[in-house]
Structure formats: C-alpha cells, structure tokens
Amino acid sequence: MNGPVRRIVIATHNTHKTGEFRALLGAGWEVEDLTMHPELPVPVEDGATFEENAGLKARSAAERLGEAVLVVADDSGLEVDHLAGRPGIFSARYAGPGAGDAGNRDKVLQELEGVPAAERGARFRCVLAVARGAEVLACFSGAVEGRLTGAVAGEGGFGYDPIFIPEGHEATFGELPAAVKNGLSHRAKALEKLLEWLEDAELTSPP
Ligand code: IMP
C-alpha cells in the first residue's frame, strides 16, 4: 500500500452500498458510513433528480462532520425503458414505504409482465456527490446498461440486482460474483471519475 490511509464517509445507511465502496476503494481508504454516525440526521430526499438528492445527502452530512472530513453521497436507481424511466429516483421506495427490496422488485416484474425480452431494456444509474464542510464540490455519474429478467435469479447484491442482467452477460447481478459487478457497475464508473478528480484536486487528505 502506498501513502497514508485516507478517510472517507459515505453518506448512506445502506450497508450494501458501503460494502461496494469498500471493495472498490481498496485498502488505502478507511470507509465509514452513517450507521457509524447515528448523531447525524437523515435528510428528506426531496430532490427531483439523482444529482439533487446526492447533493443534499452529501451536504447534510458534510456540514455537520466539518472541514476535515471528505463526504461522498450516492444516489442511484434503476431506469426501465418500458416504464418511461421509472422507478428512477424512487427506486428505494417504489412499492411504498416499508415494502423493501423484494416488494420493489415484484412491482417492477408485475409491471413488465408479458413484455418481450427485446423490450425489457433498463439501466442502473449512480450519481456521486462529494462534499466537504458546507459545500458540494463536484458530482459524477455512471450507468450500466442491461435488461430485466422475468423472475428473480440469485441472492447476491441488493435491491434490483437479482432481476438485472448487465450487457454482455447472461446472468443477473444477483448471480454474478461481486467482483464482476464491481468491474462494470454504475457505482464503479462514477467512483472512477470521482477518484480521478480527487487526485487532480489533491483533496485526499485534510487541509
Ligand atoms: P438511494 O439509497 O436513495 O440512492 O436508493 C437507491 C435504490 O436504488 C436502492 O435502494 C436500490 O433499490 C436501487 N439500487 C441502486 N443501486 C443499486 C445496485 O447496485 N443494485 C441494485 N439496486 C440498486
């Protein structure tokens, strides 16, 4: 490992997301999330876009954690062509509050019942906002194209992973090894851009 370990707080309570960031960032980063900061309020995600929601989550945590902490917020979701881009920013709560991942997947599968394979195109999109203090410094996005299955397949990943087959594969993100998902995911692509920017901005250590 080169250089000192750098600290980053991911503004999420979704430990699956945190686990992916940990795997993607590797040993040079100490990755925390909001489950380790129960004192921080959970902001209302009332933005109209992934960018707005990522920005408000990042700012909410960063302004309370202070200037020495680099905060990254992830707002992400599934866009289904046949559903005019839904669930989109409503992915986490598509089937209503408390429905959870299984309820959300079932709702999407029901809405696509009878839709042929060629018309089941979809993509995961991720926007990452990086903030320090009260300021959102930059946003980066990534997407992975694919199609939806007719039924749940696999137990890996989270959210809509068991119904999403990424382009170039014949198995869902729920079936594919985590390393395969992390090699091509929307999150990985956005994070790659963010890391390049961080290196250029020399913001990886406290001021
Ligand atoms: P957020 O936490 O408000 O950004 O909501 C993200 C939601 O989008 C999650 O709860 C999942 O339903 C979905 N989602 C985002 N990224 C992924 C992924 O990598 N795999 C599966 N579902 C995802």
Side-chain angles (χ1 to χ4, degrees):
M1 194 179 70
N2 296 318
V5 172
R6 294 158 290 182
R7 179 179 176 218
I8 195 164
V9 176
I10 312 296
T12 186
H13 288 89
N14 182 336
T15 53
H16 294 282
K17 279 188 187 175
T18 312
E20 290 191 4
F21 279 106
R22 226 173 243 130
L24 289 164
L25 286 164
W29 291 84
E30 185 186 325
V31 179
E32 298 173 13
D33 66 17
L34 298 186
T35 64
M36 299 162 191
H37 294 275
E39 75 283 7
L40 298 185
V42 178
V44 179
E45 291 183 38
D46 56 3
T49 61
F50 290 119
E51 282 78 5
E52 284 178 22
N53 283 334
L56 69 86
K57 286 190 277 192
R59 195 178 310 107
S60 168
E63 65 190 2
R64 289 168 178 90
L65 289 168
E67 288 291 329
V69 183
L70 197 61
V71 174
V72 168
D74 165 315
D75 203 64
S76 46
L78 180 72
E79 296 174 346
V80 181
D81 293 340
H82 188 76
L83 303 177
R86 292 196 318 274
I89 60 167
F90 303 108
S91 293
R93 50 188 190 280
Y94 193 43
D101 285 350
N104 292 333
R105 287 192 296 260
D106 287 349
K107 179 168 177 177
V108 169
L109 289 179
Q110 271 168 21
E111 289 181 325
L112 289 189
E113 226 166 74
V115 175
E119 292 165 35
R120 299 178 77 93
R123 74 205 48 76
F124 278 123
R125 194 177 296 285
C126 171
V127 173
L128 299 179
V130 57
R132 174 173 265 177
E135 196 186 352
V136 174
L137 303 171
C139 279
F140 303 92
S141 67
V144 55
E145 298 288 331
R147 63 191 157 89
L148 297 183
T149 54
V152 167
E155 289 173 0
F158 70 100
Y160 299 90
D161 280 341
I163 62 170
F164 182 86
I165 299 178
E167 223 168 58
H169 291 266
E170 290 304 324
T172 68
F173 269 158
E175 297 172 299
L176 292 164
V180 173
K181 177 180 179 187
N182 288 339
L184 53 82
S185 80
H186 49 317
R187 192 160 291 111
K189 289 176 183 166
L191 185 62
E192 195 179 321
K193 294 179 196 169
L194 188 152
L195 289 175
E196 265 174 36
W197 177 85
L198 277 179
E199 295 302 332
D200 288 348
E202 294 179 350
L203 269 167
T204 51
S205 51

mmCIF file of all heavy atoms in Angstrom, residues 29-61:
data_model
loop_
_atom_site.group_PDB
_atom_site.id
_atom_site.type_symbol
_atom_site.label_atom_id
_atom_site.label_comp_id
_atom_site.label_asym_id
_atom_site.label_seq_id
_atom_site.Cartn_x
_atom_site.Cartn_y
_atom_site.Cartn_z
ATOM 1 N N TRP A 29 -8.084 3.105 1.838
ATOM 2 C CA TRP A 29 -9.132 4.001 2.340
ATOM 3 C C TRP A 29 -9.804 3.413 3.577
ATOM 4 O O TRP A 29 -10.126 2.234 3.609
ATOM 5 C CB TRP A 29 -10.205 4.201 1.260
ATOM 6 C CG TRP A 29 -9.733 4.990 0.089
ATOM 7 C CD1 TRP A 29 -9.047 4.525 -0.983
ATOM 8 C CD2 TRP A 29 -9.905 6.386 -0.110
ATOM 9 N NE1 TRP A 29 -8.782 5.542 -1.863
ATOM 10 C CE2 TRP A 29 -9.305 6.708 -1.346
ATOM 11 C CE3 TRP A 29 -10.512 7.409 0.626
ATOM 12 C CZ2 TRP A 29 -9.286 7.998 -1.858
ATOM 13 C CZ3 TRP A 29 -10.500 8.688 0.112
ATOM 14 C CH2 TRP A 29 -9.889 8.969 -1.115
ATOM 15 N N GLU A 30 -10.050 4.296 4.546
ATOM 16 C CA GLU A 30 -10.857 3.918 5.699
ATOM 17 C C GLU A 30 -12.276 4.424 5.398
ATOM 18 O O GLU A 30 -12.500 5.628 5.298
ATOM 19 C CB GLU A 30 -10.288 4.611 6.939
ATOM 20 C CG GLU A 30 -10.938 4.216 8.222
ATOM 21 C CD GLU A 30 -10.402 5.083 9.363
ATOM 22 O OE1 GLU A 30 -9.209 5.445 9.351
ATOM 23 O OE2 GLU A 30 -11.210 5.413 10.236
ATOM 24 N N VAL A 31 -13.190 3.486 5.184
ATOM 25 C CA VAL A 31 -14.543 3.850 4.736
ATOM 26 C C VAL A 31 -15.527 3.769 5.895
ATOM 27 O O VAL A 31 -15.671 2.726 6.527
ATOM 28 C CB VAL A 31 -14.998 2.912 3.593
ATOM 29 C CG1 VAL A 31 -16.404 3.269 3.133
ATOM 30 C CG2 VAL A 31 -14.023 2.984 2.412
ATOM 31 N N GLU A 32 -16.178 4.886 6.183
ATOM 32 C CA GLU A 32 -17.232 4.906 7.211
ATOM 33 C C GLU A 32 -18.559 5.196 6.517
ATOM 34 O O GLU A 32 -18.581 5.657 5.379
ATOM 35 C CB GLU A 32 -16.955 6.020 8.229
ATOM 36 C CG GLU A 32 -15.657 5.832 8.978
ATOM 37 C CD GLU A 32 -15.348 7.048 9.861
ATOM 38 O OE1 GLU A 32 -16.232 7.902 10.069
ATOM 39 O OE2 GLU A 32 -14.197 7.131 10.310
ATOM 40 N N ASP A 33 -19.654 4.901 7.225
ATOM 41 C CA ASP A 33 -20.953 5.330 6.707
ATOM 42 C C ASP A 33 -21.784 5.894 7.850
ATOM 43 O O ASP A 33 -21.289 6.031 8.973
ATOM 44 C CB ASP A 33 -21.663 4.205 5.931
ATOM 45 C CG ASP A 33 -22.061 3.042 6.820
ATOM 46 O OD1 ASP A 33 -22.087 3.209 8.057
ATOM 47 O OD2 ASP A 33 -22.342 1.966 6.270
ATOM 48 N N LEU A 34 -23.042 6.208 7.579
ATOM 49 C CA LEU A 34 -23.833 6.907 8.593
ATOM 50 C C LEU A 34 -24.307 5.985 9.705
ATOM 51 O O LEU A 34 -24.767 6.467 10.741
ATOM 52 C CB LEU A 34 -25.012 7.638 7.937
ATOM 53 C CG LEU A 34 -24.616 8.729 6.942
ATOM 54 C CD1 LEU A 34 -25.841 9.500 6.460
ATOM 55 C CD2 LEU A 34 -23.593 9.695 7.536
ATOM 56 N N THR A 35 -24.183 4.664 9.510
ATOM 57 C CA THR A 35 -24.505 3.763 10.631
ATOM 58 C C THR A 35 -23.489 3.978 11.757
ATOM 59 O O THR A 35 -23.762 3.652 12.900
ATOM 60 C CB THR A 35 -24.510 2.270 10.213
ATOM 61 O OG1 THR A 35 -23.181 1.895 9.810
ATOM 62 C CG2 THR A 35 -25.475 2.010 9.069
ATOM 63 N N MET A 36 -22.316 4.538 11.413
ATOM 64 C CA MET A 36 -21.292 4.826 12.425
ATOM 65 C C MET A 36 -21.424 6.247 12.953
ATOM 66 O O MET A 36 -20.627 6.677 13.788
ATOM 67 C CB MET A 36 -19.895 4.636 11.808
ATOM 68 C CG MET A 36 -19.662 3.232 11.316
ATOM 69 S SD MET A 36 -18.268 3.246 10.168
ATOM 70 C CE MET A 36 -18.424 1.590 9.491
ATOM 71 N N HIS A 37 -22.385 6.992 12.431
ATOM 72 C CA HIS A 37 -22.611 8.376 12.874
ATOM 73 C C HIS A 37 -24.098 8.580 13.167
ATOM 74 O O HIS A 37 -24.776 9.374 12.492
ATOM 75 C CB HIS A 37 -22.135 9.362 11.793
ATOM 76 C CG HIS A 37 -20.659 9.333 11.582
ATOM 77 N ND1 HIS A 37 -19.776 10.055 12.348
ATOM 78 C CD2 HIS A 37 -19.898 8.613 10.727
ATOM 79 C CE1 HIS A 37 -18.536 9.814 11.961
ATOM 80 N NE2 HIS A 37 -18.586 8.935 10.983
ATOM 81 N N PRO A 38 -24.601 7.869 14.184
ATOM 82 C CA PRO A 38 -26.048 7.941 14.462
ATOM 83 C C PRO A 38 -26.506 9.321 14.897
ATOM 84 O O PRO A 38 -27.707 9.600 14.901
ATOM 85 C CB PRO A 38 -26.247 6.907 15.586
ATOM 86 C CG PRO A 38 -24.898 6.684 16.168
ATOM 87 C CD PRO A 38 -23.894 6.958 15.102
ATOM 88 N N GLU A 39 -25.547 10.191 15.235
ATOM 89 C CA GLU A 39 -25.901 11.555 15.659
ATOM 90 C C GLU A 39 -26.373 12.413 14.480
ATOM 91 O O GLU A 39 -27.015 13.448 14.674
ATOM 92 C CB GLU A 39 -24.705 12.224 16.374
ATOM 93 C CG GLU A 39 -23.546 12.691 15.466
ATOM 94 C CD GLU A 39 -22.608 11.561 14.977
ATOM 95 O OE1 GLU A 39 -22.918 10.382 15.227
ATOM 96 O OE2 GLU A 39 -21.583 11.876 14.334
ATOM 97 N N LEU A 40 -26.087 11.979 13.275
ATOM 98 C CA LEU A 40 -26.439 12.804 12.114
ATOM 99 C C LEU A 40 -27.886 12.573 11.689
ATOM 100 O O LEU A 40 -28.353 11.442 11.658
ATOM 101 C CB LEU A 40 -25.516 12.487 10.933
ATOM 102 C CG LEU A 40 -24.032 12.769 11.141
ATOM 103 C CD1 LEU A 40 -23.262 12.526 9.851
ATOM 104 C CD2 LEU A 40 -23.822 14.199 11.610
ATOM 105 N N PRO A 41 -28.604 13.647 11.354
ATOM 106 C CA PRO A 41 -29.997 13.496 10.910
ATOM 107 C C PRO A 41 -30.064 12.859 9.525
ATOM 108 O O PRO A 41 -29.107 12.936 8.753
ATOM 109 C CB PRO A 41 -30.515 14.934 10.857
ATOM 110 C CG PRO A 41 -29.294 15.765 10.640
ATOM 111 C CD PRO A 41 -28.151 15.051 11.309
ATOM 112 N N VAL A 42 -31.190 12.215 9.235
ATOM 113 C CA VAL A 42 -31.403 11.639 7.900
ATOM 114 C C VAL A 42 -32.166 12.678 7.080
ATOM 115 O O VAL A 42 -33.300 13.012 7.415
ATOM 116 C CB VAL A 42 -32.225 10.332 7.992
ATOM 117 C CG1 VAL A 42 -32.481 9.755 6.606
ATOM 118 C CG2 VAL A 42 -31.523 9.322 8.895
ATOM 119 N N PRO A 43 -31.552 13.232 6.033
ATOM 120 C CA PRO A 43 -32.251 14.286 5.281
ATOM 121 C C PRO A 43 -33.412 13.708 4.459
ATOM 122 O O PRO A 43 -33.382 12.542 4.079
ATOM 123 C CB PRO A 43 -31.162 14.829 4.353
ATOM 124 C CG PRO A 43 -30.200 13.712 4.191
ATOM 125 C CD PRO A 43 -30.241 12.905 5.457
ATOM 126 N N VAL A 44 -34.399 14.545 4.212
ATOM 127 C CA VAL A 44 -35.506 14.149 3.336
ATOM 128 C C VAL A 44 -35.001 14.229 1.901
ATOM 129 O O VAL A 44 -34.471 15.261 1.481
ATOM 130 C CB VAL A 44 -36.716 15.105 3.518
ATOM 131 C CG1 VAL A 44 -37.855 14.707 2.587
ATOM 132 C CG2 VAL A 44 -37.158 15.104 4.974
ATOM 133 N N GLU A 45 -35.159 13.140 1.165
ATOM 134 C CA GLU A 45 -34.680 13.123 -0.235
ATOM 135 C C GLU A 45 -35.781 13.655 -1.137
ATOM 136 O O GLU A 45 -36.505 12.904 -1.767
ATOM 137 C CB GLU A 45 -34.285 11.692 -0.628
ATOM 138 C CG GLU A 45 -33.051 11.218 0.098
ATOM 139 C CD GLU A 45 -32.600 9.834 -0.340
ATOM 140 O OE1 GLU A 45 -32.684 9.529 -1.546
ATOM 141 O OE2 GLU A 45 -32.186 9.069 0.536
ATOM 142 N N ASP A 46 -35.895 14.989 -1.182
ATOM 143 C CA ASP A 46 -36.995 15.573 -1.951
ATOM 144 C C ASP A 46 -36.505 16.248 -3.233
ATOM 145 O O ASP A 46 -37.198 17.067 -3.819
ATOM 146 C CB ASP A 46 -37.791 16.556 -1.086
ATOM 147 C CG ASP A 46 -36.903 17.652 -0.498
ATOM 148 O OD1 ASP A 46 -35.698 17.674 -0.808
ATOM 149 O OD2 ASP A 46 -37.424 18.484 0.258
ATOM 150 N N GLY A 47 -35.299 15.895 -3.682
ATOM 151 C CA GLY A 47 -34.811 16.423 -4.953
ATOM 152 C C GLY A 47 -35.557 15.788 -6.122
ATOM 153 O O GLY A 47 -36.176 14.736 -5.983
ATOM 154 N N ALA A 48 -35.468 16.463 -7.280
ATOM 155 C CA ALA A 48 -36.168 15.970 -8.477
ATOM 156 C C ALA A 48 -35.263 15.114 -9.349
ATOM 157 O O ALA A 48 -35.715 14.533 -10.335
ATOM 158 C CB ALA A 48 -36.689 17.159 -9.281
ATOM 159 N N THR A 49 -33.977 15.057 -9.017
ATOM 160 C CA THR A 49 -33.017 14.297 -9.830
ATOM 161 C C THR A 49 -32.049 13.554 -8.911
ATOM 162 O O THR A 49 -31.929 13.867 -7.716
ATOM 163 C CB THR A 49 -32.178 15.250 -10.717
ATOM 164 O OG1 THR A 49 -31.447 16.136 -9.850
ATOM 165 C CG2 THR A 49 -33.039 16.069 -11.660
ATOM 166 N N PHE A 50 -31.324 12.585 -9.492
ATOM 167 C CA PHE A 50 -30.271 11.910 -8.725
ATOM 168 C C PHE A 50 -29.257 12.941 -8.216
ATOM 169 O O PHE A 50 -28.785 12.857 -7.090
ATOM 170 C CB PHE A 50 -29.542 10.884 -9.603
ATOM 171 C CG PHE A 50 -30.355 9.669 -9.971
ATOM 172 C CD1 PHE A 50 -30.628 9.370 -11.300
ATOM 173 C CD2 PHE A 50 -30.823 8.799 -9.003
ATOM 174 C CE1 PHE A 50 -31.358 8.244 -11.648
ATOM 175 C CE2 PHE A 50 -31.552 7.661 -9.333
ATOM 176 C CZ PHE A 50 -31.820 7.383 -10.667
ATOM 177 N N GLU A 51 -28.913 13.901 -9.070
ATOM 178 C CA GLU A 51 -27.911 14.911 -8.702
ATOM 179 C C GLU A 51 -28.358 15.694 -7.470
ATOM 180 O O GLU A 51 -27.581 15.895 -6.531
ATOM 181 C CB GLU A 51 -27.673 15.900 -9.859
ATOM 182 C CG GLU A 51 -26.803 15.384 -10.982
ATOM 183 C CD GLU A 51 -27.551 14.447 -11.938
ATOM 184 O OE1 GLU A 51 -28.785 14.265 -11.772
ATOM 185 O OE2 GLU A 51 -26.896 13.886 -12.838
ATOM 186 N N GLU A 52 -29.619 16.141 -7.497
ATOM 187 C CA GLU A 52 -30.109 16.937 -6.366
ATOM 188 C C GLU A 52 -30.105 16.116 -5.082
ATOM 189 O O GLU A 52 -29.705 16.591 -4.021
ATOM 190 C CB GLU A 52 -31.523 17.450 -6.665
ATOM 191 C CG GLU A 52 -31.527 18.616 -7.636
ATOM 192 C CD GLU A 52 -32.939 19.094 -7.976
ATOM 193 O OE1 GLU A 52 -33.874 18.841 -7.184
ATOM 194 O OE2 GLU A 52 -33.091 19.708 -9.041
ATOM 195 N N ASN A 53 -30.559 14.873 -5.187
ATOM 196 C CA ASN A 53 -30.605 14.042 -3.977
ATOM 197 C C ASN A 53 -29.208 13.704 -3.459
ATOM 198 O O ASN A 53 -28.970 13.714 -2.248
ATOM 199 C CB ASN A 53 -31.398 12.761 -4.233
ATOM 200 C CG ASN A 53 -32.896 13.012 -4.222
ATOM 201 O OD1 ASN A 53 -33.368 13.958 -3.589
ATOM 202 N ND2 ASN A 53 -33.644 12.175 -4.913
ATOM 203 N N ALA A 54 -28.281 13.411 -4.376
ATOM 204 C CA ALA A 54 -26.910 13.122 -3.942
ATOM 205 C C ALA A 54 -26.330 14.364 -3.263
ATOM 206 O O ALA A 54 -25.695 14.271 -2.197
ATOM 207 C CB ALA A 54 -26.047 12.702 -5.132
ATOM 208 N N GLY A 55 -26.569 15.526 -3.857
ATOM 209 C CA GLY A 55 -26.037 16.767 -3.298
ATOM 210 C C GLY A 55 -26.591 17.066 -1.919
ATOM 211 O O GLY A 55 -25.849 17.409 -0.997
ATOM 212 N N LEU A 56 -27.887 16.878 -1.748
ATOM 213 C CA LEU A 56 -28.450 17.227 -0.437
ATOM 214 C C LEU A 56 -28.021 16.243 0.651
ATOM 215 O O LEU A 56 -27.803 16.620 1.810
ATOM 216 C CB LEU A 56 -29.971 17.428 -0.506
ATOM 217 C CG LEU A 56 -30.931 16.272 -0.751
ATOM 218 C CD1 LEU A 56 -31.310 15.574 0.533
ATOM 219 C CD2 LEU A 56 -32.192 16.803 -1.428
ATOM 220 N N LYS A 57 -27.824 14.968 0.264
ATOM 221 C CA LYS A 57 -27.343 13.994 1.258
ATOM 222 C C LYS A 57 -25.889 14.288 1.639
ATOM 223 O O LYS A 57 -25.507 14.208 2.804
ATOM 224 C CB LYS A 57 -27.450 12.564 0.694
ATOM 225 C CG LYS A 57 -28.878 12.036 0.632
ATOM 226 C CD LYS A 57 -28.926 10.556 0.303
ATOM 227 C CE LYS A 57 -28.834 10.235 -1.154
ATOM 228 N NZ LYS A 57 -29.148 8.832 -1.491
ATOM 229 N N ALA A 58 -25.084 14.620 0.632
ATOM 230 C CA ALA A 58 -23.668 14.903 0.907
ATOM 231 C C ALA A 58 -23.524 16.144 1.780
ATOM 232 O O ALA A 58 -22.774 16.156 2.757
ATOM 233 C CB ALA A 58 -22.907 15.092 -0.411
ATOM 234 N N ARG A 59 -24.274 17.198 1.429
ATOM 235 C CA ARG A 59 -24.151 18.459 2.174
ATOM 236 C C ARG A 59 -24.623 18.300 3.618
ATOM 237 O O ARG A 59 -23.990 18.781 4.559
ATOM 238 C CB ARG A 59 -24.947 19.574 1.485
ATOM 239 C CG ARG A 59 -24.580 20.955 1.976
ATOM 240 C CD ARG A 59 -25.329 22.072 1.280
ATOM 241 N NE ARG A 59 -25.300 21.979 -0.161
ATOM 242 C CZ ARG A 59 -26.341 21.614 -0.920
ATOM 243 N NH1 ARG A 59 -27.509 21.323 -0.368
ATOM 244 N NH2 ARG A 59 -26.238 21.560 -2.229
ATOM 245 N N SER A 60 -25.733 17.579 3.785
ATOM 246 C CA SER A 60 -26.286 17.391 5.125
ATOM 247 C C SER A 60 -25.267 16.752 6.065
ATOM 248 O O SER A 60 -25.083 17.190 7.204
ATOM 249 C CB SER A 60 -27.541 16.510 5.036
ATOM 250 O OG SER A 60 -27.943 16.096 6.314
ATOM 251 N N ALA A 61 -24.574 15.720 5.581
ATOM 252 C CA ALA A 61 -23.576 15.058 6.441
ATOM 253 C C ALA A 61 -22.321 15.911 6.571
ATOM 254 O O ALA A 61 -21.777 16.075 7.668
ATOM 255 C CB ALA A 61 -23.224 13.691 5.861
#
